[in-house]
Amino acid sequence: MSDLRITEAFLYMDYLRMSECIQISFAVCRIGIHTCFRALCCKGPPPARPEYDLVCIGLTGSGKTSLLSKLCSESAENVVSTTGFSIKAVPFQNAILNVKELGGADNIRKYWSRYYQGSQGVIFVLDSASSEDDLETARNELHSALQHPQLCTLPFLILANHQDKPAARSVQEVKKYFELEPLARGKRWILQPCSLDDMEALKDSFSQLINLLEEKDHEAVRM
């Protein structure tokens, strides 16, 4: 074979290798562009946040409606006490709480238990600056809820509200007066101070409640 033909053969082989490299490069670029496009534009909807159904109870004047309104970014001014029941969806970053608030008047509290079914957690709001008589009534209602068959195994968030008032009892005073340590031993419960003036602390209290709800969910899955 002449030198010219050998040179032509080598050149043709170099051309094929170059052509193959170009095709591979284009393929890699297409894959990269497709991957980037999917990452940027085709993520799809974010995963759904879990939802929990809660019941919120407490005497009239304890501040249930105002606290829930603030958590929903609604105005707490001119709030009217709930006379029957109301439902609010309270959004958090990692969960949505569907809160059924029950009125706390004397003639309504006896019907609370009719609304307990289906609850996954309990919010109990008390006025830490209330009179001794009202505090005694609140203690009796909380004890009844903690021992109720439909609530006794559920996580409880107990909010000692109106901490911004001069007559407010401290959390330690409330815990002792309500006899929470012996009564709620072995149960999932949180006692936290709160007021409308400290929304960060209130949101942190609800985050702790969400953690308890998630723990209960995980235990149910393992069983």
Side-chain angles (χ1 to χ4, degrees):
M1 184 180 294
S2 65
D3 291 341
L4 180 59
R5 289 183 176 179
I6 293 173
T7 301
E8 289 176 348
F10 277 115
L11 289 173
Y12 181 68
M13 291 174 64
D14 288 341
Y15 168 77
L16 290 178
R17 283 196 294 268
M18 184 179 298
S19 177
E20 183 180 3
C21 288
I22 291 173
Q23 291 181 40
I24 292 173
S25 297
F26 274 120
V28 170
C29 287
R30 284 197 300 271
I31 293 171
I33 292 171
H34 179 68
T35 302
C36 291
F37 179 80
R38 284 183 59 83
L40 293 173
C41 305
C42 302
K43 288 183 177 179
R49 286 175 288 180
E51 296 191 25
Y52 298 100
D53 295 329
L54 308 180
V55 63
C56 179
I57 53 180
L59 305 190
T60 296
S62 60
K64 304 185 300 296
T65 308
S66 297
L67 293 176
L68 294 175
S69 295
K70 288 283 284 187
L71 286 171
C72 292
S73 300
E74 300 172 358
S75 174
E77 296 180 6
N78 302 319
V79 167
V80 178
S81 296
T82 302
T83 54
F85 75 92
S86 66
I87 299 177
K88 287 185 180 294
V90 186
F92 289 89
Q93 187 174 2
N94 56 339
I96 296 175
L97 304 182
N98 298 312
V99 183
K100 179 166 41 182
E101 180 200 348
L102 307 183
D106 293 347
N107 61 338
I108 295 176
R109 292 199 301 271
K110 59 186 177 182
Y111 299 112
W112 277 359
S113 59
R114 296 186 180 185
Y115 298 90
Y116 290 166
Q117 187 172 1
S119 299
Q120 296 169 278
V122 182
I123 304 163
F124 189 95
V125 184
L126 63 96
D127 180 2
S128 60
S130 66
S131 66
E132 290 294 334
D133 288 344
D134 284 347
L135 205 64
E136 175 70 20
T137 302
R139 181 175 69 172
N140 292 338
E141 294 293 354
L142 178 57
H143 285 197
S144 177
L146 283 166
Q147 296 172 350
H148 193 278
Q150 290 179 305
L151 304 182
C152 62
T153 61
L154 304 182
F156 270 71
L157 171 59
I158 305 165
L159 295 173
N161 195 18
H162 297 154
Q163 287 292 308
D164 52 328
K165 294 184 177 181
R169 284 91 167 169
S170 68
V171 168
Q172 290 303 321
E173 288 175 314
V174 170
K175 182 187 293 186
K176 182 178 180 180
Y177 184 82
F178 278 66
E179 300 175 317
L180 287 174
E181 291 291 358
L183 181 68
R185 186 176 292 116
K187 302 179 185 294
R188 296 178 176 87
W189 61 277
I190 305 162
L191 171 62
Q192 291 286 89
C194 73
S195 71
L196 289 177
D197 294 336
D198 193 351
M199 291 307 297
E200 288 304 314
L202 181 63
K203 290 177 180 178
D204 180 67
S205 299
F206 274 82
S207 294
Q208 293 182 52
L209 174 62
I210 291 171
N211 289 338
L212 291 183
L213 293 166
E214 291 175 343
E215 288 175 8
K216 195 170 190 305
D217 264 0
H218 293 156
E219 289 181 5
V221 170
R222 287 195 295 267
M223 292 175 63

